[in-house]
C-alpha cells in the first residue's frame, strides 16, 4: 500500500482528496493537515510515502514544511508533491529546489492524480507537463540574479549531458531512448548515474540542475 498524507488549509479539499485516495485499492490516506506545522508533525508520526502539499498554509507554508520533511534523514523515503494553481508558480520553483518531487495543478482530473501519486511513490518525478519548462526557465533566470551557485558538471560524461538535457526538456525514458537511439535500460542506467553523481534523489532535481548549471536555458529549451 502507498501511504499518502494530505496537507491543505481548505477542509473541503482535504476531505475530497482523502476520499479520492480511499477509492484506490493500492493507496491509503494516513492523515490530514491544515497547516505546514501540522504537515511536518503528520509526516513524522505516520511516515507517508507521498505527501500532497499545498503552498499557502497558516503557521508554516508548504515550502518550509517541505524543507523540514525532506531534510530529515529518517524520512528518506518520503516524497513531496506540491499542489498548486497558476498564480503560485514562483513558489513551485522554490519547492522543487527544496527537494519536492514535482507539482500538480489543482484542476488535475481525479484519475490522473491517483496515477501521479503512484509515479512519485515509485521514485520518479512528476511535473505538470504544459507548465514545467516555462516555470523552471523563468525562475532560474530570477535565481541567477540572487547569485545562486551553479552546479558543477565536471564529473558528468558527454552522453550523460545529453540525457540530462533531454530530462530537463521533459522527455520520458522511452522518449529519450528513441531520441538517442539507446535502449531504455541504458537510459535508466544514465539517469541513475546522474542522480548519484549530482547527489539528488529524483528527476525534478535533475531538471533544476540542468537549468542552474547553464546546460539548458530558456532559449535552448
Amino acid at each position: 500500500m502507498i501511504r499518502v498524507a494530505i496537507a491543505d488549509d481548505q477542509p473541503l479539499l482535504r476531505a475530497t482528496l482523502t476520499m479520492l485516495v480511499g477509492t484506490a485499492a493500492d493507496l491509503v490516506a494516513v492523515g490530514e493537515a491544515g497547516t505546514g506545522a501540522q504537515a511536518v508533525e503528520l509526516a513524522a508520526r505516520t511516515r507517508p510515502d507521498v505527501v500532497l502539499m499545498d503552498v499557502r498554509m497558516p503557521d508554516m507554508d508548504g515550502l518550509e514544511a517541505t524543507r523540514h520533511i525532506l531534510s530529515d534523514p529518517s524520512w528518506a523515503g518520503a516524497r513531496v508533491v506540491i499542489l498548486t494553481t497558476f498564480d503560485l508558480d514562483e513558489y513551485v520553483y522554490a519547492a522543487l529546489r527544496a527537494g519536492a518531487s514535482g507539482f500538480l495543478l489543482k484542476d488535475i482530473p481525479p484519475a490522473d492524480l491517483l496515477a501521479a501519486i503512484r509515479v512519485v511513490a515509485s521514485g520518479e518525478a512528476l511535473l505538470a507537463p504544459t507548465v514545467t519548462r516555462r516555470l523552471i526557465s523563468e525562475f532560474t533566470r530570477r535565481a541567477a540574479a540572487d547569485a545562486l551557485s551553479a552546479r558543477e558538471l565536471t564529473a558528468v560524461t558527454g552522453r550523460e549531458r545529453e540525457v540530462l538535457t533531454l530530462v530537463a526538456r521533459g522527455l520520458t525514458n522511452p522518449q529519450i531512448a528513441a531520441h538517442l537511439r539507446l535502449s531504455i535500460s541504458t537510459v535508466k542506467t544514465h539517469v541513475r548515474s546522474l542522480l548519484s553523481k549530482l547527489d539528488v534523489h529524483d528527476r525534478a532535481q535533475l531538471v533544476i540542475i540542468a537549468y542552474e548549471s547553464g546546460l539548458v536555458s530558456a532559449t535552448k529549451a
Side-chain angles (χ1 to χ4, degrees), residues 79 100-102 119-120 123-127 202-205:
R79 307 275 175 174
S101 291
V119 167
V120 171
E124 296 292 330
L126 202 291
L127 306 174
D202 65 27
R203 295 168 83 98
Q205 282 67 57

Side-chain angles (χ1 to χ4, degrees), residues 10-221:
Q10 299 179 39
L12 180 59
L13 182 55
R14 290 200 308 271
T16 300
L17 290 173
T18 297
M19 287 189 292
L20 176 62
V21 168
T23 65
D26 58 335
L27 308 179
V28 60
V30 296
E32 300 177 13
T35 71
Q38 290 174 4
V40 174
E41 185 278 330
L42 178 63
R45 177 165 46 85
T46 64
R47 295 293 194 269
D49 300 302
V50 176
V51 181
L52 298 179
M53 182 78 75
D54 189 19
V55 176
R56 290 179 174 169
M57 292 186 290
D59 298 336
M60 177 190 298
D61 65 22
L63 177 58
E64 187 62 26
T66 296
R67 289 196 187 102
H68 276 281
I69 292 170
L70 297 179
S71 65
D72 189 329
S74 67
W75 304 347
R79 307 275 175 174
V80 175
V81 176
I82 301 298
L83 290 173
T84 187
T85 53
F86 281 105
D87 63 335
L88 295 178
D89 286 352
E90 186 166 5
Y91 290 95
V92 171
Y93 173 77
L96 292 176
R97 293 194 72 254
S101 291
F103 71 91
L104 298 170
L105 302 178
K106 286 186 176 180
D107 61 358
I108 184 173
D112 290 350
L113 176 60
L114 297 178
I117 292 171
R118 297 182 183 103
V119 167
V120 171
S122 73
E124 296 292 330
L126 202 291
L127 306 174
T130 60
V131 189
T132 302
R133 284 189 297 242
R134 176 177 61 83
L135 280 178
I136 296 176
S137 349
E138 171 67 17
F139 294 108
T140 298
R141 289 198 298 270
R142 294 192 186 189
D146 294 332
L148 292 176
S149 59
R151 296 291 190 109
E152 292 292 338
L153 299 180
T154 53
V156 175
T157 68
R159 178 62 86 184
E160 288 169 347
R161 284 172 182 258
E162 291 178 313
V163 172
L164 180 56
T165 298
L166 296 176
V167 168
R169 291 175 179 167
L171 273 66
T172 64
N173 285 348
Q175 289 170 332
I176 294 171
H179 186 86
L180 297 178
R181 297 184 179 180
L182 300 172
S183 68
I184 294 177
S185 63
T186 298
V187 172
K188 289 180 178 178
T189 297
H190 286 312
V191 171
R192 284 195 298 268
S193 178
L194 286 165
L195 293 172
S196 176
K197 287 181 178 180
L198 298 173
D199 192 26
V200 294
H201 67 268
D202 65 27
R203 295 168 83 98
Q205 282 67 57
L206 290 181
V207 173
I208 294 294
I209 288 173
Y211 277 89
E212 290 191 340
S213 67
L215 182 64
V216 176
S217 68
T219 55
K220 292 177 184 176

